[in-house]
Amino acid sequence: SPVHWAGDQDSTWDAHRSVLKAVLNTGISGIPFMGWDIGGFSGEIPTAELYLRSAAFACFGSIMQYHSEFYDHRIPHVDRTPWNIAERTGVPEVVDIYRYFAKLRMQLLPYIKKEAENCCKTGEPLMRAMFIDYPDDPKCWTLEDQYKFGRDLIVCPMLFEGETEREIYLPEGEWYDFFTGKEYAGSSLYNINVPLNRIPVFSKRKSLIESITLPEEVNR
């Protein structure tokens, strides 16, 4: 199956939020894989916060890629490389945190490959609206700010500037924090604290997170 693209977004929080809406809508329209440019593609560079929230989001997406419009190498550069974002914003930890998610992405590849193969066989999207897997849960029909990544993971990206915690919903069953292994009961709402080096992700299978070696933690 081909990979579709979300378009050439500006580096704004509104555009960041629009990516998730685009991905979920195309998924239920029969397009299984869709990507975007981390932190946006056009205009002024993203803030360090927007860039890192978008990078964490892309780590749990079909494609993890940064890219920017062409400015003929004029100074200041608008490249969306982590080192340019770090230099331009004056936030050096952008490089370390991005490296963490890049390494984590490599650890996720066996899971992503398995789930992508399932998408090719079934036509299901890789990044999927919650109601696809939980059609009998009324709450899952109202969720627009979190998604299933494959059949086992729930991902809850950070979508607003200055947001350090957010509400997440876990459907029926037992769920495990992808990063800590902490167990959560399903059919419940939770408020989760989310520093810049983290994204709320929950696994339906504890064996999945036990099979993944997390990169060395980045303090933030």
Side-chain angles (χ1 to χ4, degrees):
S1 296
V3 174
H4 285 64
W5 214 247
D8 294 344
Q9 285 86 14
D10 288 335
S11 293
T12 66
W13 286 93
D14 281 343
H16 175 61
R17 288 186 287 272
S18 76
V19 164
L20 180 56
K21 292 181 180 180
V23 168
L24 296 186
N25 278 303
T26 55
I28 61 177
S29 300
I31 297 174
F33 309 117
M34 187 172 181
W36 64 94
D37 296 310
I38 291 171
F41 174 87
S42 302
E44 187 48 71
I45 62 168
T47 63
E49 179 190 10
L50 173 56
Y51 187 78
L52 291 174
R53 293 307 196 192
S54 183
F57 179 22
C59 180
F60 293 88
S62 298
I63 300 290
M64 185 178 182
Q65 172 187 297
Y66 52 75
H67 185 44
S68 65
E69 59 186 339
F70 185 59
Y71 265 70
D72 198 25
H73 302 293
R74 290 178 295 186
I75 302 297
H77 290 303
V78 297
D79 294 344
R80 268 60 171 180
T81 55
W83 44 91
N84 189 54
I85 300 300
E87 181 179 347
R88 290 282 311 276
T89 62
V91 183
E93 57 263 39
V94 165
V95 173
D96 292 331
I97 296 175
Y98 185 90
R99 182 186 297 114
Y100 175 88
F101 285 114
K103 289 182 176 181
L104 178 56
R105 175 73 178 190
M106 299 305 293
Q107 290 291 321
L108 284 167
L109 287 182
Y111 172 75
I112 294 172
K113 181 177 183 292
K114 176 172 68 73
E115 293 304 305
E117 289 173 348
N118 178 67
C119 293
C120 292
K121 292 176 182 176
T122 64
E124 298 173 357
L126 182 61
M127 302 172 67
R128 48 222 272 163
M130 294 290 296
F131 64 78
I132 291 178
D133 291 335
Y134 298 94
D136 298 325
D137 186 335
K139 177 66 175 174
C140 287
W141 286 85
T142 68
L143 294 170
E144 299 180 350
D145 61 353
Q146 62 181 71
Y147 62 95
K148 288 290 295 299
F149 184 48
R151 291 166 291 180
D152 291 323
L153 297 178
I154 289 176
V155 182
C156 308
M158 304 300 284
L159 301 172
F160 293 90
E161 185 173 13
E163 188 177 44
T164 58
E165 65 177 32
R166 62 154 291 174
E167 184 179 84
I168 60 99
Y169 176 73
L170 300 177
E172 63 180 356
E174 299 299 322
W175 295 87
Y176 300 91
D177 185 301
F178 182 85
F179 296 95
T180 68
K182 180 180 177 181
E183 185 174 344
Y184 289 82
S187 301
S188 301
L189 290 165
Y190 297 94
N191 281 313
I192 304 295
N193 180 57
V194 192
L196 273 178
N197 62 345
R198 194 61 63 85
I199 179 174
V201 180
F202 300 87
S203 176
K204 190 163 63 173
R205 291 191 295 116
K206 193 170 187 179
S207 60
L208 171 59
I209 59 177
E210 289 175 343
S211 70
I212 291 175
T213 302
L214 294 176
E216 185 177 349
E217 183 77 8
V218 176
N219 293 322
R220 171 60 176 152

